[in-house]
């Protein structure tokens, strides 16, 4: 996938939403087995974030979930109070409530974010109605649309946003543009001051910020994945390259050290993000330089990681 950056926010008009309120209203089931109606129980009168995913999606779904988790954290306790997150699985056969509950736990998702599924054909119809089904692609579970829908049902404002949006931008849209403004979200006071683009001096930095940062920090401690400070010293470059290109294959080989690492991160597998060799080299170069900048160049910093 070509890496696209978040563009200036654009308001998409939903074909069926807003004024006419012809929202889909199928029955869905949540991670705890509760049955709900999509419009009546989840959307009516609320500020919401809606996305579609499936738990066995090995690539971008995990990145989406990680990014949305940061959005949730930025919004703090408003999520569950006046802002609600819904992730709907398009693969009900695999993603039973039990599987959804475990997925939610693996990502350490807090209150106010519900994982749901339902009848497959109704979900496909819903996606089409909400404009989240990519046009011209087979309606199979693999055409997972990399977009999320955010909106305020009460005011009829809806936007389709790219999954590549910065978490801070998404939080501002949900918290300030759509919701009542109730205090600052993140470091900028108004949406107009928000950096829309993910900035990076090099392509490696840009890639790291848009593909890795939601799960990894460099020198700020573990997140959903391990802190990557000094990792270019700790691992051989061949191992590192292969890991970033195809972590799924490396995990499948069940090397004890790797298995231990996956277990330490609650079984959350690092996603295969379909990066090219060149992109991986650029990212590694960035991690190396950033590690030096954060002080891992010294022996002390390196030894700490063993
Ligand atoms: C959805 C979260 C997620 C994303 C996105 C992600 N990773 Fe990971 N990463 C993990 C987890 C979790 C682990 C720990 C191993 C496991 O559970 O698979 C990991 C492990 C690693 C390791 C091994 C660290 C060590 O100490 O050996 C490296 C290197 C790494 N990731 C690099 C990256 C890079 C580079 C990117 C961006 C291209 C990236 N990751 C994107 C979750 C993620």
């Amino acid at each position: 996938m070509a890496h696209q950056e978040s563009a200036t926010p654009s308001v998409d008009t939903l074909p069926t939403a807003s004024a006419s309120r012809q929202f889909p209203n199928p029955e869905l089931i949540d991670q705890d087995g509760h049955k709900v109606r999509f419009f009546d129980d989840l959307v009516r009168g609320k500020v919401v974030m809606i996305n579609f995913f499936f738990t066995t999606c090995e690539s971008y779904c995990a990145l989406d979930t990680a990014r949305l988790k940061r959005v949730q954290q930025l919004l703090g306790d408003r999520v569950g109070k006046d802002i609600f997150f819904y992730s709907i699985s398009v693969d009900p056969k695999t993603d039973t409530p039990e599987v959804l509950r475990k997925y939610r736990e693996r990502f350490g998702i807090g209150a106010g974010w519900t994982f749901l599924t339902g009848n497959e054909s109704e979900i496909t119809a819903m996606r089409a109605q909400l404009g989240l089904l990519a046009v011209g692609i087979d309606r199979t579970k693999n055409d997972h649309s990399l977009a999320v829908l955010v909106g305020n049902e009460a005011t009829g404002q809806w936007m389709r946003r790219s999954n590549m949006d910065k978490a801070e931008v998404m939080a501002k849209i949900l918290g300030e543009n759509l919701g009542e403004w109730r205090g600052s979200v993140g470091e900028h006071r108004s949406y107009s001051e928000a950096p829309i683009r993910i900035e990076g001096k090099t392509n490696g930095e840009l890639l790291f910020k848009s593909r890795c940062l939601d799960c990894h920090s460099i020198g700020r401690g573990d997140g959903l994945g391990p802190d990557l400070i000094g990792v270019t010293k700790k691992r051989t470059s061949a191992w590192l390259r292969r890991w970033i290109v195809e972590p799924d294959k490396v995990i499948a080989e069940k090397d004890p050290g790797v298995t231990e690492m996956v277990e330490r991160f609650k079984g959350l597998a690092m996603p295969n993000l379909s990066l090219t060799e060149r992109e991986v080299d650029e990212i590694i170069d960035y991690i190396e330089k950033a590690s030096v900048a954060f002080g891992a160049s010294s022996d002390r910093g390196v030894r700490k990681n063993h």
Side-chain angles (χ1 to χ4, degrees):
M1 188 182 124
H3 64 275
Q4 94 221 54
E5 276 151 70
S6 49
T8 309
S10 66
V11 180
D12 280 313
T13 343
L14 273 183
T16 51
S18 69
S20 64
R21 297 232 169 131
Q22 287 169 334
F23 258 93
N25 195 27
E27 184 177 89
L28 300 174
I29 186 160
D30 74 11
Q31 75 272 340
D32 300 316
H34 300 127
K35 289 183 175 160
V36 289
R37 285 272 168 198
F38 176 68
F39 179 75
D40 293 344
D41 300 321
L42 305 182
V43 174
R44 191 203 300 269
K46 297 187 170 88
V47 174
V48 297
M49 181 299 297
I50 300 160
N51 80 326
F52 291 87
F53 82 112
F54 52 104
T55 63
T56 48
C57 160
E58 273 145 17
S59 56
Y60 277 87
C61 296
L63 179 56
D64 281 2
T65 305
R67 179 150 316 162
L68 290 168
K69 180 180 169 171
R70 280 184 55 216
V71 177
Q72 185 191 28
Q73 285 167 337
L74 287 166
L75 290 166
D77 63 4
R78 291 186 59 187
V79 179
K81 238 187 249 160
D82 58 340
I83 302 171
F84 296 83
F85 282 25
Y86 305 117
S87 291
I88 303 169
S89 168
V90 300
D91 182 13
K93 282 189 205 77
T94 312
D95 295 341
T96 60
E98 173 76 8
V99 171
L100 292 175
R101 195 170 50 75
K102 289 206 177 116
Y103 182 86
R104 202 171 166 277
E105 278 168 16
R106 234 176 6 251
F107 278 89
I109 305 286
W113 185 350
T114 311
F115 285 72
L116 303 124
T117 192
N119 173 287
E120 193 164 348
S121 59
E122 283 181 354
I123 288 176
T124 305
M126 249 176 97
R127 293 169 67 197
Q129 272 176 289
L130 296 173
L132 293 181
L133 189 65
V135 182
I137 302 176
D138 276 355
R139 294 183 177 196
T140 64
K141 68 173 189 174
N142 290 322
D143 73 346
H144 167 76
S145 162
L146 297 169
V148 304
L149 185 66
V150 293
N152 181 336
E153 195 278 327
T155 61
Q157 294 167 278
W158 291 91
M159 295 180 202
R160 211 159 25 225
R161 302 291 312 178
S162 155
N163 70 315
M164 285 298 149
D165 271 348
K166 260 180 101 168
E168 286 76 8
V169 173
M170 187 87 83
K172 263 169 235 294
I173 292 174
L174 278 160
E176 296 178 20
N177 290 42
L178 294 173
E180 234 182 287
W181 194 84
R182 289 218 199 122
S184 170
V185 176
E187 69 276 35
H188 299 267
R189 280 186 66 80
S190 88
Y191 177 69
S192 55
E193 292 168 41
I196 302 296
R197 294 185 154 270
I198 294 176
E199 280 149 22
K201 285 186 209 77
T202 61
N203 201 35
E205 180 176 357
L206 196 65
L207 284 164
F208 186 85
K209 288 183 170 173
S210 62
R211 303 296 201 282
C212 321
L213 188 66
D214 292 299
C215 293
H216 294 288
S217 81
I218 299 176
R220 290 185 173 190
D222 291 347
L224 284 172
D227 189 335
L228 296 182
I229 193 160
V231 78
T232 56
K233 297 245 160 67
K234 177 181 131 183
R235 302 282 191 184
T236 65
S237 87
W239 187 92
L240 207 52
R241 276 217 190 109
R242 174 151 186 255
W243 171 261
I244 299 168
V245 172
E246 45 183 35
D248 44 339
K249 292 209 181 120
V250 179
I251 291 170
E253 286 165 9
K254 297 202 192 307
D255 169 271
V258 170
T259 304
E260 184 273 327
M261 178 168 69
V262 175
E263 276 164 13
R264 197 152 46 87
F265 289 89
K266 298 194 209 158
L268 173 63
M270 158 128 162
N272 180 329
L273 297 172
S274 314
L275 298 162
T276 65
E277 300 271 344
R278 194 184 150 172
E279 287 172 326
V280 170
D281 284 344
E282 288 170 335
I283 291 172
I284 291 174
D285 186 56
Y286 171 72
I287 296 173
E288 179 142 44
K289 294 204 170 99
S291 292
V292 172
F294 286 105
S297 57
S298 70
D299 287 344
R300 186 168 42 88
V302 177
R303 234 182 273 125
K304 215 171 58 192
N305 283 296
H306 280 282

